[in-house]
Amino acid sequence: MMEMPLVNKCTATECAFNDEENCHALAITIGEPRQPQCDTFVTASVSGGDPDSVAHVGACKMADCRYNSHLECQAPGISVGHEHDLVDCLTYQPA
């Protein structure tokens, strides 16, 4: 069974799942057809997720990433943050 990689750091502090640059969603999804953006990113007036948990990467739709295998991330961990006005997976690397 595959291990889901951790979100080691997220600098998108305006996200409802973010607390002190840690993501507290149970799992996030990465990717759009052309951009490795965080699909779980959301702004809200309430905090989201489990404050005692650190997020994992549940799925990655960036099939062209060197860490992607069958739409699952195989990186040891990822970082998420702002890239060109979007919140992206900063660990993404084209294969």
Side-chain angles (χ1 to χ4, degrees):
M1 184 162 105
M2 287 189 233
E3 295 270 335
M4 293 192 313
L6 287 173
V7 178
N8 292 325
K9 184 175 185 177
C10 178
T11 58
T13 56
E14 70 275 27
C15 181
F17 293 106
N18 193 304
D19 183 33
E20 297 182 17
E21 297 191 352
N22 290 303
C23 181
H24 295 289
L26 294 179
I28 67 169
T29 299
I30 296 293
E32 290 299 323
R34 293 183 175 91
Q35 188 71 30
Q37 69 189 62
C38 179
D39 286 353
T40 310
F41 172 80
V42 63
T43 56
S45 60
V46 297
S47 295
D50 177 359
D52 295 326
S53 295
V54 175
H56 289 81
V57 181
C60 178
K61 297 183 271 182
M62 298 302 296
D64 70 334
C65 180
R66 70 178 289 190
Y67 298 110
N68 194 307
S69 176
H70 305 286
L71 301 178
E72 299 288 344
C73 182
Q74 300 300 300
I78 71 164
S79 294
V80 175
H82 294 276
E83 181 86 17
H84 307 293
D85 298 325
L86 295 172
V87 176
D88 284 352
C89 173
L90 302 177
T91 307
Y92 167 80
Q93 293 183 21

